[in-house]
Amino acid sequence: MNVVALNGSPRGKNSNTWKITEAFLEGLESAGEHTITRVDVYKQKIEECHGCFACWKDTPGVCVIMDDMQDLLPRIIEADLVIWSFPLYYYSLPSKLKAFMDRLLPLNLPFMEETSDGSITHPRRFDLSHQHTVLISTCGFASTKNNYEAIEAQFAIAFGKDRLSKIICPEGELFSIPELRTRTNEYLSLVRRAGSEYTEHLGISEALQAELEPLILPAETYNKLADASWGLPGPGTKTDTGTGEGYSTNVPDPGATGDPSAVLIRQMAALYSPAKLGGKEALLELNFTDLGVTHRLFLGARECTVLDGEAPIPASVSALNSTRVETPFTVWKQISQGELDGARAMMEGKYKVLGNFDLMLKMDGLFSGPGSSPSTTERPPAASRDNTAKKPTMALVILPWMPLWIALPISPVAAVYATLATLALCQLAGFKWKLGRHERITFALVTIFAAAAAAGVPAGILLPLTYLAFGAHWLISCLGPVPLTADYSKAA
Ligand SMILES: Cc1cc2nc3c(=O)[nH]c(=O)nc-3n(C[C@H](O)[C@H](O)[C@H](O)COP(=O)(O)O)c2cc1C
């Protein structure tokens, strides 16, 4: 297919909508060969239509304005598919794209033609019967209602609803938040599928449309997040008598201090998933060492509250459910954007955790919105997911030693048999738990000691050596990047 994709966002490549359009184009290309022309409309020299009708009477089919439309119009005429990618601006098109649309006038003849439903249109000057249209758009609200009605009607009338497919994505600004990449990537995968379906059927199936329909975040969460993103005071409470001055704010101004971490903190609060804490409450104190600021987040059973300034700590908070993280803001940001693995960064001493460590183990997904999945960066690749799904348990590093430690002083023969039985059971446990290198080292050491006991080495010599071997195993693991015990905490 000959495809022209119009990027109608003034943000160019940083456009939320264009991210969706690129995914659609990837899908198209995955299923067939296409010639794709990408047009950054805002970079083109496109004047507004003069309304002179010269393209109808003096120079039929040709506009008299000498700008980039001279080159673009023939491309549109030849296109089998025109993709209109744009953000919703005032329930309509961004102005430059509207200027582009107006400049399509030469495609029509001036005459009045009655359609089958009795409405009037202009006949086409060129044969565009091969042409289809895809409308891809994002908007800032969490709903299409009272938002997209005008644009949908406009496109259906202008390009024919039978040849029109639509991908309309509310909550478009989520595509600009790296912390939510997991969520937005899921949406983009669906769009890729839509692109490949389109290559085959010149349309998007109802089933896939239904999959694209649900909001990326619940509207309530999105609205909170959107409000938090501005770093501005919350909605004003009018306190004067109508002069328009004297608005006071009922939400403290996170940006007033010039603290660059204030917006992220409020976004975290908006994206808090109480379900991750199973109804429990906790206090998370974030001390950004490079900024010299500390933020306190009260993680309640239903929502997260940022405790500003001197705000009192709720009575339910004690040392047992308080966690303090001391970290440079840059590190915290990298972790929340999925660029740095949180557990690894901690092992490498990039940040410090004081107080209740349990909260850190639940951190993944705690601030990704309700019903969230862990970030993509920490997800194992699909192919290896089954193998790595099993978790290790430290019991399998301690249990094999027990028969030797308990039975060796009493009966070396019993110790040998009990060790063999335990090792066999541990192997069976491998069906449920992961048997990693620490387990394999343990099994090997225990087997050597059991063999020595069977060979008649006195228990008085063997027993201290088993303690020594166990201790050495742990000590040597401390020389590596992740000590033995921390390895298990990380997996938990
Ligand atoms: C001038 C202007 C008008 C807007 N009008 C609307 C609107 O009517 N409805 C809406 O939901 N969002 C509106 N928005 C929000 C944008 O549609 C939204 O931020 C979009 O995701 C931006 O996409 P882009 O990154 O592709 O430009 C408006 C934004 C601007 C700058």
Side-chain angles (χ1 to χ4, degrees), residues 27-317:
L28 272 185
E29 286 184 303
S30 72
E33 289 227 344
H34 307 285
T35 310
I36 298 176
T37 308
R38 293 166 169 82
V39 181
D40 207 339
V41 174
Y42 268 79
K43 285 198 181 143
Q44 307 298 310
K45 193 165 167 275
I46 301 173
E47 269 186 45
E48 292 82 10
C49 173
H50 292 178
C52 62
F53 290 118
C55 62
W56 278 4
K57 53 184 171 54
D58 305 327
T59 54
V62 178
C63 181
V64 290
I65 306 172
M66 289 299 144
D67 61 8
D68 289 341
M69 279 311 280
Q70 296 292 339
D71 173 50
L72 291 171
L73 204 62
R75 287 173 190 255
I76 294 292
I77 295 166
E78 284 160 21
D80 302 307
L81 171 62
V82 180
I83 300 176
W84 295 73
S85 168
F86 60 92
L88 192 68
Y89 273 13
Y90 269 93
Y91 320 106
S92 184
L93 298 167
S95 55
K96 188 94 180 236
L97 193 64
K98 180 60 168 61
F100 175 94
M101 188 182 260
D102 292 346
R103 295 284 301 280
L104 297 181
L105 198 69
L107 299 182
N108 300 327
L109 290 165
F111 313 112
M112 302 297 169
E113 187 178 76
E114 193 172 328
T115 62
S116 53
D117 65 2
S119 58
I120 302 293
T121 185
H122 293 300
R124 291 287 191 202
R125 182 184 303 276
F126 304 95
D127 177 15
L128 296 180
S129 56
H130 60 285
Q131 195 168 88
H132 287 76
T133 304
V134 171
L135 155 61
I136 300 181
S137 182
T138 65
C139 69
F141 290 141
S143 169
T144 54
K145 196 170 167 221
N146 275 345
N147 216 9
Y148 269 101
E149 287 82 351
I151 209 80
E152 289 194 68
Q154 179 180 5
F155 269 68
I157 295 168
F159 303 111
K161 59 178 184 304
D162 299 338
R163 298 174 165 270
L164 173 67
S165 300
K166 293 174 279 187
I167 297 178
I168 292 177
C169 180
E171 304 183 340
E173 286 303 330
L174 296 181
F175 289 86
S176 295
I177 303 180
E179 286 83 357
L180 290 171
R181 222 172 273 147
T182 312
R183 299 275 184 137
T184 47
N185 280 347
E186 279 168 19
Y187 186 86
L188 295 179
S189 306
L190 291 175
V191 174
R192 255 174 231 114
R193 264 175 54 203
S196 96
E197 257 191 24
Y198 197 90
T199 295
E200 286 168 33
H201 309 294
L202 287 176
I204 304 168
S205 66
E206 275 182 24
L208 190 49
Q209 286 284 5
E211 283 190 69
L212 285 162
E213 190 95 354
L215 290 172
I216 295 174
L217 280 181
E220 195 192 345
T221 309
Y222 174 79
N223 292 341
K224 270 199 232 164
L225 178 71
D227 287 349
S229 303
W230 300 110
L232 293 171
T237 310
K238 206 172 179 195
T239 54
D240 73 338
T241 50
T243 60
E245 293 173 359
Y247 278 81
S248 72
T249 61
N250 51 17
V251 177
D253 177 356
T257 55
D259 169 12
S261 63
V263 168
L264 182 74
I265 291 295
R266 273 163 173 77
Q267 286 181 336
M268 281 173 66
L271 289 170
Y272 170 59
S273 306
K276 282 285 274 184
L277 292 190
K280 292 193 185 128
E281 296 181 334
L283 181 78
L284 174 64
E285 204 172 273
L286 290 171
N287 171 235
F288 294 130
T289 49
D290 49 351
L291 304 177
V293 294
T294 301
H295 295 281
R296 294 173 304 154
L297 293 159
F298 173 62
L299 312 179
R302 295 188 54 204
E303 62 175 12
C304 172
T305 319
V306 181
L307 302 176
D308 285 302
E310 298 302 309
I313 295 173
S316 59
V317 172

